[in-house]
Amino acid sequence: LVADEVKCLRAEEGNKQKILQDIKELAEKLYKNENPYPAVTMHMVQKPKEGCPLHQKPFPRLDEGTVQWIIDQATAKLQTAPPAVKAEKKCMVPSGPPIAAILERNGNALANSARRLEVVRNCISYVFENKMLEAKKLFPGVLRAMKGRAARHCLTRELNLHVQQNRAVLDHQQFDFVIRMMNCCLQDCTAMDEHGIAAALLPLVTAFCRKLSPGITQFAYSCVQEHV
């Protein structure tokens, strides 16, 4: 009732008289809902048919022993009755899609997954080869790919390879790209990834760094440490 009246009240905004009238009508509806007219609660008693005696026969008094005997008889029958077995209803199971269609669908999914992983690998390669223009083109695809666990695993593996090649000290652009990928990866991690992907990133965030000035080095963990 209130939900229906809200639109009406908004439509009459600014006209105080109309608003008061609407509120009054709403109040009356609510009052009638809580206090229905006596006619609504009146019990209708049917008149007896013509020729019937007006006096009603009293309900016979029930014998407690007889009632208990009937209950005991019914209980005994239930206890000795065989367990109800639902009759099997045979039916035809509809045939699903042909096997070729399933294989094709799975093949497409695998192909899409392989393409996403290839995008992640290529983008990381471009970053470390300082081909920033190519890396920027692939970067949106990498961020989308991070929704999948396989792509997140791929990121940790590829970054680990570059650490092993002593390529952990990055310039500013490279550092920015790597940090953004790590942040996106951690953002999409679930509790299931805590001991897998997040744990694999721990040694990487303490390895990748950039030189801010002589003697001052910033490590990657300072930019990703807010993640749960």
Side-chain angles (χ1 to χ4, degrees):
L1 179 63
V2 173
D4 290 340
E5 294 296 327
V6 166
K7 290 179 184 175
C8 183
L9 288 172
R10 282 183 180 158
E12 305 300 339
E13 206 166 5
N15 186 342
K16 288 187 179 179
Q17 288 298 113
K18 190 72 177 81
I19 291 172
L20 288 171
Q21 182 62 30
D22 287 340
I23 292 171
K24 189 178 177 184
E25 288 174 9
L26 175 60
E28 284 175 4
K29 286 181 186 177
L30 291 169
Y31 181 80
K32 285 177 183 176
N33 184 63
E34 295 298 320
N35 303 279
Y37 293 117
V40 176
T41 55
M42 199 180 290
H43 296 288
M44 302 297 290
V45 181
Q46 290 185 339
K47 288 184 179 180
K49 293 180 181 177
E50 289 182 10
C52 286
L54 291 175
H55 67 278
Q56 291 182 343
K57 289 181 181 179
F59 192 81
R61 186 174 181 81
L62 298 177
D63 179 53
E64 190 177 338
T66 308
V67 171
Q68 189 59 48
W69 179 80
I70 293 169
I71 291 171
D72 292 342
Q73 288 286 102
T75 307
K77 277 185 183 177
L78 285 173
Q79 286 173 349
T80 56
V85 179
K86 192 176 179 182
E88 281 189 25
K89 188 180 177 182
K90 294 181 180 179
C91 62
M92 290 292 292
V93 178
S95 58
I99 300 230
I102 295 170
L103 290 174
E104 185 183 346
R105 189 165 65 242
N106 289 346
N108 288 341
L110 289 170
N112 286 339
S113 179
R115 277 198 294 272
R116 282 196 290 269
L117 298 186
E118 191 62 31
V119 167
V120 173
R121 279 193 286 266
N122 288 342
C123 186
I124 293 172
S125 295
Y126 289 146
V127 168
F128 283 92
E129 291 165 10
N130 263 321
K131 296 178 179 177
M132 293 306 170
L133 194 59
E134 286 85 350
K136 280 180 183 175
K137 289 176 186 174
L138 295 182
F139 201 66
V142 172
L143 299 186
R144 283 195 300 272
M146 286 299 125
K147 298 285 181 190
R149 186 174 283 116
R152 298 198 288 271
H153 275 297
C154 179
L155 175 74
T156 59
R157 284 196 303 270
E158 291 296 311
L159 291 178
N160 191 48
L161 288 174
H162 289 288
V163 170
Q164 291 171 2
Q165 295 167 13
N166 294 323
R167 300 171 76 179
V169 181
L170 310 173
D171 65 26
H172 295 303
Q173 267 194 307
Q174 289 173 323
F175 189 80
D176 182 54
F177 270 100
V178 170
I179 291 299
R180 287 171 68 188
M181 283 190 278
M182 285 180 169
N183 269 321
C184 187
C185 177
L186 287 168
Q187 187 68 44
D188 290 315
C189 277
T190 63
M192 293 170 65
D193 299 318
E194 185 177 348
H195 303 293
I197 293 160
L201 277 176
L202 274 176
L204 299 176
V205 297
T206 56
F208 285 110
C209 61
R210 64 174 169 179
K211 299 288 183 183
L212 293 179
S213 63
I216 298 177
T217 304
Q218 181 186 17
F219 285 89
Y221 67 80
S222 64
C223 301
V224 300
Q225 59 191 2
E226 297 302 320
H227 291 277
V228 177

